[in-house]
Amino acid sequence: MLVVDGFGIGAMPDAGALRPGDAAADTCGHVLDHAREAFGRPLRLPVFGALGLGLVHPHPDLARDTRLPVAAGRAALGYPGADTFAGHQTMMGADFSQVTVARLGDHLAEVTAALRAAGHKAELLDGRPLLLVDGSVLVHDNLEADPGINWNASARLDDLGFDGILDVARTVRAVAPVARVIAVGGRADGPLRRFVRDGDGGTVGLDTPASGFYRNGGLQVQHLGAELDHTRQLPELAARAGIPVTFVGKAADILACEKAVRRPAVATGDVLAHTAEAIRAPGGSLVVANVQESDLAGHQQEPERYARILEQVDAGLAALVALLDRPGDRLVVTGDHGNDPTIGHAYHTREYVPVLIHRPGAPGVELLPDADSLADVGATAAAALGLDPAGLANGRRIPQRAAA
């Protein structure tokens, strides 16, 4: 399963509820349009086309037919907002329908009390609804996802080691009602208070892309998620059945499975290389990989960079398709949300995502009905592994609809 982070293919019906302009979001289409104008040529995505992307997102620069045995459709997100952690957990079979959306400013009293009880000094930063902890860690709303989905604990590694940042994040996690508390350490272009700004919906936080954390090297991140029953997610289901599990890229940071082999990486070339290496291992296995640089390009509103990453992913997909050539093999290419770099802001966008399944040995091309949730993608993968999707907390196998 290869998740292209932030790769949406058109706005969901409720995409404009928070930001009306997001009703026009189309990460895939807008990147293709921009690339043709910027590069003077169509974006080269032959493998995405062969996997059926043009069938579910018609565009002049995508092939409208394929000779590969694929099933192609799209999926709604199936969780509130648009978030990488919630997206991946949902895809693995978690039920995120009850996750609370909350601004830090509405929970300052309990967060401050928890930090002080743990021996930390916690105070408002410049009288605004975010906390400065021990003079170095900012506890704040995450401005890269929809308001209220996630909170961050961020600090410069020059001021505090990552273990110290993580300690603060864990204390916050213990009382946080949101899906994710993210510990972030990196190299900034200056004091972090310089990069604090207002977000949507009354949120206030660190503008992480503007701080330089993503471009200055040394970035360390750990995602602390809401309590979930990981025993009812696809990786644990597979592991209990004796199927080896490997997480690659950001998936290694955010997915749970004690027996999984983890290959964390950010560079797209490294993610694709680790994925191919895991696939080459003898015997059946479950490999879940995340291409993160597409999402970073979306946050930084760089459509040309996003386009080049898609071409790099396409080249890597050619190798994966060649490796997965036996009947029963499956390659699932999908996304976790949208991140339209042309939409005019640095947030995720609430979009449908593609569900492109390469199925050696299957007859023809199948068009899949819209899946109600990313959990249905995980349930479909479970069935392909010979596992009972009923063992997951959420999701059902995507039914076949029509041969084309």
Side-chain angles (χ1 to χ4, degrees), residues 298-319:
H299 285 308
Q300 294 166 359
Q301 301 176 70
E302 296 178 346
E304 292 174 33
R305 180 185 175 200
Y306 200 123
R308 292 190 180 95
I309 290 164
L310 285 182
E311 288 192 327
Q312 186 179 5
V313 173
D314 194 88
L317 284 173

Side-chain angles (χ1 to χ4, degrees), residues 103-116 122-125 127-132 139-141 151 175 177 204:
R103 297 175 301 179
L104 175 64
D106 295 331
H107 295 269
L108 286 172
E110 54 263 50
V111 174
T112 300
L115 287 165
R116 290 175 177 170
E123 56 191 347
L124 295 179
L125 178 68
R128 306 178 77 182
L130 74 163
L131 297 173
L132 178 64
V139 176
H140 59 92
D141 293 307
W151 299 347
V175 296
V204 179

